[in-house]
Amino acid sequence: MSPHPFPQPLDRAALGVFFTAVVLTLLLLGAGDRTQAQVRDFSWQNRDVGAEDRAFILSFNRLMDWSSVVEHLKIEPPLEGKASWSGRRFAYTLKQPIPYGQTFKVSLEGAVSVPQGKPMKPFQGQFRSRDRVLVYLGSGVEEGRLILYNLTLQQKTFLTPPNLRVFDFQPYPAGDRILFSAGERGEQMGFDPQLYTVTTGLSFNAPDAPRRQPRPAGEISLILDNSEYQNLRFQLANDGSKIVVQRVNRLQPADSSLWLLDEHFQPRRLNQAAAGDFRIAPDNQHLIIAQGQGLAIVPLDPGNSKSDFDFLPQYGMVLDFSRDGRQVAVVKFNPNFSRSLYVVDLFGEHRELLTIHGSIIAGQFDPKGEFLYLLLTHLEGEGNSREIPYLALLDLKTKALFKLKDFDPQQELYLSLSPDGRMLAVDSVEGRTMPEEVNNSDLYSDTAPPNPNPNALAELPGNPQASPPPVHQLPPQQHQIWLFPLKSDPDKVVVGMPEPLAPGLQARWLP
């Protein structure tokens, strides 16, 4: 039987679909892809951006003429940055940490795709930076309470109740919680704290992180009691994953050791004594412990003995690590009772920047690692019997040291630089009014240049209509927080006159 001379119905349908697809393909190839270029995704859209966020990504549906994207991209207020691209993704990397407390708009219109050179669909996006928030311990009538001050919103919030007296605290990296030690107030109350966390009421929706709803401020959780051990110093890891606490056995006071709390707050004894200060290294895997004239590097996990900080034992004190973790400011105690400040990088270079016969109390890197803000003292009086503290700025390139403010002789001074590097918080016991002008002529460094360039330090113009700070109204021995506005120029730091914020101490910025 011969085959049927005509195709079967199913064959005819398949052939029809095939020829239709061929015709459409030829038409598409002849006319080109007429899909208009557009932004498919903006990585910072409606996000809260912090100092750690340095670049945003624009993803396109087509290949673009990147020079036209660079030319037409607008950011308001302006943010200086560097453009780069790969495939259909365009990156814009900021040259400075983003200023906090602002809303930014991003627009792109007029850029063209390749190879057709057709204009893209206009794009509008927006994001905001984190609020500028300071946390501190109250002073005077607010003594011992943990207080949050949102400078962006001009709001003050008490995080702890009046019955708790807070001794120390450290913010979590997300800014949503504070770790603190506190004890119940009472007539016979001594230093016998328990460890708590408290919510701040803030929830910053960071890029590339799941969106979260904020919890109400002031929710307190007990994480470590004092029933069997007295809790002394504590340190929170940079990533918030672990806590190290110094504890003393109540039944055996000679039994003092460090304990590690994991992210679930389960304590584990480290069998490591710590008579002095200690801190968790930036890698979150090692502990740096002050021991006499040197520093010990102890792994938190016995199986992780390798460390990038093996050079530290020759120094006596760690001041600060740079934002990228590549530099550390350390203090060396010299045989002649002087102190030397060094900056050491992870490549092993040790740079002596400063030697003084007073004390080096505290120091903090600026976000770019080019300057150090320092709390120092110089000796005066008969037989150098008094230490006078002062705030100074040290240029790490030139070793030039500039004094920003003198303080009365006192024991407690605290220093905290905002994450965006644009404001410095210093608190002290004020016994006199602030100086009318900043005097940077006194240089107490044996190694600083004798004739520094006066243009390297300037003052921001003040408000002539503003009333003077009511310092005279502060009761004796009340701590006061002062804010120094800062502005970074290409070759210098501009330091404004300090302004009073509130009575308080241990002021620290939220990340």
Side-chain angles (χ1 to χ4, degrees), residues 50 64 115 222 309 369 379 416:
M64 300 295 295
L222 175 65
F309 312 102
L379 304 177
S416 183

Side-chain angles (χ1 to χ4, degrees), residues 329-342:
V330 289
V331 178
K332 185 177 182 181
F333 299 101
N334 301 316
N336 64 352
F337 301 105
S338 65
R339 308 307 198 253
S340 294
L341 172 65
Y342 285 77

Side-chain angles (χ1 to χ4, degrees), residues 466-498:
S467 58
V471 181
H472 61 278
Q473 299 176 3
L474 295 177
Q477 298 303 304
Q478 178 160 296
H479 289 257
Q480 174 73 20
I481 299 172
W482 295 88
L483 301 180
F484 290 76
L486 306 172
K487 180 182 177 182
S488 294
D489 286 347
D491 57 347
K492 62 183 177 182
V493 173
V494 182
V495 183
M497 290 300 297

Side-chain angles (χ1 to χ4, degrees), residues 207-257:
D208 303 322
R211 294 184 180 273
R212 297 179 300 173
Q213 292 297 323
R215 293 164 59 187
E219 292 185 353
I220 295 177
S221 301
L222 175 65
I223 65 170
L224 189 64
D225 64 32
N226 58 4
S227 59
E228 298 181 14
Y229 291 84
Q230 183 183 18
N231 304 308
L232 303 179
R233 301 181 182 92
F234 67 90
Q235 281 287 317
L236 177 67
N238 287 345
D239 62 358
S241 64
K242 52 183 69 74
I243 306 168
V244 175
V245 187
Q246 182 185 15
R247 310 182 78 193
V248 177
N249 192 321
R250 290 193 177 280
L251 300 180
Q252 302 178 23
D255 179 12
S256 174
S257 180

Side-chain angles (χ1 to χ4, degrees), residues 14 39 59 93 102 111 130 132 135 161-162 178 188-189 191 241 268 273 335 394 398 410 412 450 470 487 501 506:
V39 174
S59 300
T93 304
Q102 298 186 34
R130 290 187 175 192
R132 195 182 297 276
V135 180
I178 306 289
Q188 304 299 324
M189 187 195 73
F191 181 79
S241 64
R268 174 173 65 87
L394 178 65
T398 65
Q410 56 193 274
E412 293 181 294
K487 180 182 177 182
L501 176 69
Q506 296 187 34

